[in-house]
Amino acid sequence: MSRTNQGWVLKRRPEREVRGSDLELVETPVMPLEPDQIRVKNIYLSIDPTNRVWLSGRDQYLPPVGVGEVVRGITVGVVDESASSRFQPGDTVLLGEGGWQRFSTCEASAATHIRRRENIPLTASLSVLGTTGLTAYTGFLDICRPKPGETLVVSAAAGAVGSIVGQIAKIRGCRVVGIAGGAEKCRWIVEGLGFDGAIDYKAEDVGEALDRLCPDGVDMDFENVGGHIMDAVCSRMNVNGRMALCGLISSYNSDGPMAGPKDFGRVLMQRLTIQGFVVLDHFSRAREAYSDLADWIGSGQLRWKDHVIHGLDAAPEAMNRLFTGDHDGKLMVQVADEPLRSESVSHSSVEVVRR
């Protein structure tokens, strides 16, 4: 019998949150490899806010996923078959466009060997030691350009990127206030990660809380949310303040232009720098970033959470969780069992939540 693959295909562009009628889980035959190709059995699928952007028809930094195509996504997996001298079956690799599917067939040049680190779970390759960590590292250090004693506000602070940004800021001697949704998340970033303060946007006025926690204003904003939260922070930024614009998730489930700061004149009067960035532009910094992040993990200065949902069929539901906040830290889907189970890894810096 011929082998089959299974993957999520875009049927129509979602209007708001992704619904069952927008995607279809289909089976396709597994075709023989061409020279210098590899076939990867995907183990983990990264679930990121940008997945929702890719499903839309709006202007974006990559071509939108086409109707009838497999949904784009970053994966970690194991080489199942190889027609390339660069990879052997059993090698662990990362694919930038592995997709929402069980098997990915690609050119060998599209895959990156994963360096397994002792006592670090494989899930970290999609979070703190993957593009999540690189996003946090380069966005904060290269764009915010922190100085000791400065005040940073980070939105979505209990999320995959924001939680790492805040800890890097503390390592660099900054004062950090995080904005998150819910008392438990706010408690975690203060008591578990060492933030100086937290704002529960679901239970209090963000502007009033910023006035209380940042009486001398805000020097840096690591922005993941946009909307009224970004407005509240921007209106309190000091002269020569810097905003690293990483995401605008509050607008991703709607069509049309994404609004900027309401008081745009403040950018002029306060001489603010607002720079948007995507991690694709910063891969040249990966070696340095992963080395520093691994050192901080080893010294106990950096903690993180990986939230794993089981089953490829749960991927659409998992993506919608990004917009409801029903997840902890870095969200991903487990597509297949690991060759070496991550439950055997016990590291005090990580909590792997499996639901």
Side-chain angles (χ1 to χ4, degrees):
M1 295 181 62
S2 61
R3 301 175 67 191
T4 59
N5 191 13
Q6 190 179 41
W8 283 102
V9 169
L10 179 63
K11 290 181 63 179
R12 65 179 187 184
R13 301 205 182 280
E15 294 181 0
R16 294 190 65 82
E17 70 275 2
V18 175
R19 300 182 183 275
S21 56
D22 298 327
L23 306 177
E24 182 180 10
L25 190 60
V26 302
E27 289 193 356
T28 55
V30 173
M31 305 303 292
L33 295 179
E34 299 289 339
D36 208 35
Q37 285 187 330
I38 61 173
R39 183 155 21 254
V40 176
K41 180 181 181 180
N42 293 317
I43 306 298
Y44 291 108
L45 165 64
S46 180
I47 303 296
D48 303 291
T50 194
N51 291 144
R52 179 62 184 84
V53 177
W54 291 336
L55 296 182
S56 73
R58 68 166 73 244
D59 289 339
Q60 50 191 281
Y61 61 90
L62 286 177
V65 174
V67 174
E69 293 180 353
V70 173
V71 178
R72 182 185 295 133
I74 302 170
T75 62
V76 163
V78 174
V79 175
D80 186 64
E81 296 180 58
S82 177
S84 167
S85 60
R86 292 182 55 204
F87 295 97
Q88 300 298 318
D91 288 348
T92 306
V93 297
L94 180 141
L95 299 179
E97 295 194 20
W100 288 23
Q101 56 188 339
R102 297 194 182 280
F103 292 96
S104 300
T105 300
C106 64
E107 300 299 318
S109 58
T112 302
H113 278 284
I114 289 179
R115 175 188 173 189
R116 297 299 304 271
R117 299 175 187 266
E118 185 177 358
N119 291 328
I120 302 293
L122 182 58
T123 55
S125 300
L126 288 180
S127 59
V128 65
L129 295 178
T131 54
T132 295
L134 181 60
T135 300
Y137 183 95
T138 57
F140 178 64
L141 295 179
D142 296 355
I143 297 176
C144 288
R145 304 185 307 279
K147 299 174 185 176
E150 289 189 316
T151 294
L152 166 74
V153 173
V154 53
S155 57
V161 173
S163 59
I164 297 173
V165 168
Q167 293 176 88
I168 297 174
K170 291 301 298 179
I171 292 169
R172 289 302 179 97
C174 300
R175 187 171 177 276
V176 182
V177 173
I179 303 173
E184 184 56 36
K185 290 182 178 182
C186 288
R187 186 177 306 111
W188 177 57
I189 63 175
V190 172
E191 298 178 4
L193 305 185
F195 284 40
D196 297 285
I199 299 170
D200 181 357
Y201 73 86
K202 293 183 177 181
E204 56 187 324
D205 182 274
V206 173
E208 292 178 359
L210 285 169
D211 290 338
R212 183 180 74 253
L213 294 172
C214 306
D216 297 321
V218 176
D219 301 299
M220 301 168 288
D221 174 27
F222 196 99
E223 188 55 54
N224 293 303
V225 175
H228 75 277
I229 289 178
M230 178 179 65
D231 280 335
V233 180
C234 188
S235 66
R236 290 162 174 81
M237 293 188 74
N238 293 327
V239 172
N240 295 320
R242 290 87 69 200
M243 177 191 295
L245 185 54
C246 180
L248 295 164
I249 193 172
S250 65
S251 300
Y252 291 168
N253 269 337
S254 59
D255 293 328
M258 291 181 261
K262 288 181 179 178
D263 184 8
F264 197 74
R266 191 171 182 84
V267 177
L268 171 63
M269 301 307 173
Q270 297 295 91
R271 284 83 89 195
L272 305 180
T273 298
I274 300 176
Q275 182 174 335
F277 75 101
V278 295
V279 73
L280 295 178
D281 300 329
H282 297 271
F283 284 157
S284 63
R285 297 270 276 141
R287 185 182 297 273
E288 178 184 359
Y290 295 146
S291 176
D292 284 346
L293 291 164
D295 286 346
W296 292 330
I297 291 170
S299 65
Q301 294 175 279
L302 188 60
R303 300 177 60 85
W304 78 101
K305 286 183 179 181
D306 292 335
H307 188 137
V308 181
I309 297 176
H310 186 75
L312 180 62
D313 58 339
E317 172 203 347
M319 183 166 60
N320 285 333
R321 288 189 183 211
L322 292 171
F323 300 91
T324 63
D326 185 19
H327 67 286
D328 297 295
K330 171 59 185 174
L331 188 59
M332 63 189 76
V333 168
Q334 185 166 5
V335 180
D337 291 338
E338 289 190 32
L340 296 176
R341 303 289 294 184
S342 63
E343 285 84 354
S344 65
V345 176
S346 58
H347 196 289
S348 60
S349 293
V350 62
E351 179 182 345
V352 180
V353 180
R354 295 182 181 272
R355 292 178 183 171

